[in-house]
Amino acid sequence: MKTSLQFKGMIAVLALAATGAGAQETTLRLISGWDDRFDGTVAIAQAFATCVSENSEGRVAVDISGPEVIPPNQQFDPVSRGIFDLGFTTPIYFLGTTGVPSAFFALPPDSELWRERGYWAFADEELQRFDQRLVAFTAGTGESDFYQIVMREPVAGGDMPLEGLKIRGNNYYAPLVVPLGGSLVNVPGGEIYSSLERGVVDGAAYPIAGMQRLGMHEVTSYMLRPRFGNSPFLISMNAARFDGLDEADQQLILDCGHQIETSSTADLSRLSDETIAALLELGMEETTLPVEIAEGVNAALMAGSWQTALDGNAQSAPRVEDLRALARENGDAE
């Protein structure tokens, strides 16, 4: 595995080559599914933009817009059409277009392993069907502990501890929430606070990192345990825009993407732990699922993620099966 210093050295060499005679200043427009209150935006999108700028000595800039411009689940097509050059998103937001990237929720959370075993290249090939190129595919914290559910009240015991409760979330959370008696309500990220405050939902599933800045402690009192889930995020680029760059700039983009895969895992792991400590300090408490349920949470989510990826789009389902076959060959899927 290449170290961060090796990545930086490689990028610096490419940057020097690109700053020779005839190099042109370039601004790339990136659309992000989240604003900077989400730590993933900082650790992935903003860190990528910084890497590109610093290692091109400011010649290549990445200008970031957020969900206030285009809603998160409508951002994939504008990147395909070249309205934006780059997109930072999660596969679940374009599940209806292709289920292949969503299958990464079911893979071991290790972006370097994804590259070594061919999963990254498989996803890149899939995105090229939609006139995009894969730049980075990150693995959250690198552990199955990226999410939590914050609750207005502690959970009950028994086999159905979420019975009758409405939980903010998308299809990814269904294998956890629904079998435990809860129902999912698809509330946009920007409306989670008000929905909890008004009792529209009883709890909210969301990435842990940065929850204190969203004010979750003001409208909920409990954090459901265990923490759970893998969280792939990706940066993709419009294929025509990528092809229009010179070779040095293409490599700069790809190498910064690879570097962010490595750095964001450590950053998000640290930020998640800091968030938990901050929320406890702010008065939140932990409420725990029964042990026999808690032990199977991540296995259920991974199994459900394969099915969600298959069901998301009928045309892409055979390619999801091909990816699962590859994962089975590598011992990464049942």
Side-chain angles (χ1 to χ4, degrees), residues 76 79-81 97-98 126-132 319:
F76 187 79
V79 177
S80 291
R81 290 192 286 146
T97 301
T98 171
E126 180 67 11
L127 288 180
Q128 289 181 53
R129 296 175 183 271
F130 303 95
D131 300 317
Q132 297 188 35
R319 298 190 293 278

Side-chain angles (χ1 to χ4, degrees), residues 38-322:
F38 172 44
D39 279 340
T41 303
V42 179
I44 303 171
Q46 291 183 6
F48 171 77
T50 298
C51 177
V52 170
S53 177
E54 288 182 350
N55 290 285
S56 66
E57 297 185 351
R59 186 181 53 78
V60 182
V62 178
D63 182 32
I64 301 175
S65 300
E68 71 282 357
V69 176
I70 300 175
N73 61 354
Q74 298 175 23
Q75 294 179 359
F76 187 79
D77 184 62
V79 177
S80 291
R81 290 192 286 146
I83 296 172
F84 283 87
D85 303 308
L86 295 148
F88 167 54
T89 188
T90 178
I92 209 75
Y93 283 160
F94 56 96
L95 176 62
T97 301
T98 171
V100 170
S102 285
F104 280 65
F105 282 96
L107 292 173
D110 183 337
S111 58
E112 201 63 25
L113 177 145
W114 297 347
R115 286 177 176 267
E116 293 170 356
R117 297 187 177 176
Y119 310 143
W120 198 100
F122 196 104
D124 183 37
E125 182 179 341
E126 180 67 11
L127 288 180
Q128 289 181 53
R129 296 175 183 271
F130 303 95
D131 300 317
Q132 297 188 35
R133 292 292 307 273
L134 186 58
V135 172
F137 214 152
T138 69
T141 59
E143 302 287 344
S144 296
D145 63 356
F146 188 78
Y147 297 97
Q148 67 178 353
I149 298 177
V150 290
M151 311 283 298
R152 288 159 56 91
E153 301 292 338
V155 294
D159 295 336
M160 304 285 277
L162 299 182
E163 187 168 15
L165 299 181
K166 299 185 293 295
I167 305 298
R168 178 271 170 192
N170 52 41
N171 287 339
Y172 171 66
Y173 306 102
L176 167 60
V177 172
V178 175
L180 301 185
S183 58
L184 286 169
V185 180
N186 197 351
V187 174
E191 298 176 18
I192 293 175
Y193 184 100
S194 61
S195 296
L196 286 164
E197 186 177 38
R198 293 183 286 115
V200 174
V201 294
D202 303 293
Y206 202 72
I208 294 170
M211 270 191 169
Q212 75 275 34
R213 291 199 301 280
L214 296 174
M216 292 296 100
H217 58 285
E218 298 172 358
V219 288
T220 61
S221 298
Y222 298 91
M223 298 179 285
L224 184 63
R225 292 293 173 263
R227 294 162 59 168
F228 60 88
N230 306 333
S231 187
F233 295 95
L234 59 88
I235 296 175
S236 62
M237 187 168 187
N238 175 267
R241 188 70 166 105
F242 181 85
D243 291 342
L245 298 176
D246 63 35
E247 185 176 347
D249 281 348
Q250 289 178 353
Q251 196 61 51
L252 174 66
I253 293 295
L254 293 174
D255 284 339
C256 278
H258 196 176
Q259 180 175 314
I260 295 312
E261 290 173 352
T262 302
S263 64
S264 65
T265 296
D267 288 343
L268 289 171
S269 180
R270 171 181 55 80
L271 290 165
S272 292
D273 290 343
E274 289 176 358
T275 293
I276 295 297
L279 292 174
L280 290 170
E281 183 69 20
L282 289 165
M284 293 193 73
E285 301 176 32
E286 296 180 335
T287 179
T288 305
L289 291 172
V291 174
E292 60 275 14
I293 294 175
E295 290 177 346
V297 163
N298 277 303
L301 279 167
M302 293 181 80
S305 291
W306 281 116
Q307 194 59 50
T308 297
L310 285 166
D311 294 343
N313 178 273
Q315 287 71 39
S316 68
R319 298 190 293 278
V320 174
E321 287 286 17
D322 289 343

